[in-house]
Amino acid sequence: TLKIRNHDAMNNLRMGNATRRDIDALIDALNVTEALANRGVGEDWKPEIRAAQDAMLDLARRGVANNFRFIARGPELVALNLVMEIHDAQLETVTVKQRETAMHKLKCFLIL
């Protein structure tokens, strides 16, 4: 279900139809990717994860300024596609408990 949600959001972004909900789903995926990398699952991809987060920040800021119309630029799509592949690979290797722990710690961090 999680993969379908993420890939649907990426497809909507690629097609130029991304909504705020799609962007939120992608931000969630990026945050979980980073959280898992910080716990040793795919940590060698940290520079690419950071690049995708920076691309998402630029994309989201433009979208908000453009009346919530989210249009990705080519390099942003490249960075985001790569990290979605990393995220999928992480999800294949971690247990549900590891994923839930990473998500829980991420939520606790965001509350602070």
Side-chain angles (χ1 to χ4, degrees), residues 75-90:
E76 293 166 342
L77 279 176
V78 170
L80 291 168
N81 279 322
L82 176 59
V83 170
M84 291 309 294
E85 289 180 33
I86 295 166
H87 184 64
D88 285 347
Q90 287 174 321

Side-chain angles (χ1 to χ4, degrees), residues 19-59:
T19 64
R20 187 173 178 179
R21 183 175 178 192
D22 293 320
I23 298 302
D24 287 343
L26 295 172
I27 290 170
D28 288 347
L30 288 171
N31 288 338
V32 171
T33 303
E34 180 187 32
L36 290 171
N38 287 340
R39 285 161 185 73
V41 181
E43 68 182 319
D44 50 331
W45 292 99
K46 282 185 178 181
E48 291 81 0
I49 295 167
R50 170 48 66 199
Q53 289 173 321
D54 292 343
M56 179 55 74
L57 180 60
D58 292 342
L59 166 67

Side-chain angles (χ1 to χ4, degrees), residues 6-20:
N6 294 339
H7 285 276
D8 186 49
M10 268 308 294
N11 190 53
N12 289 338
L13 182 61
R14 275 191 291 274
M15 300 297 291
N17 300 321
T19 64
R20 187 173 178 179

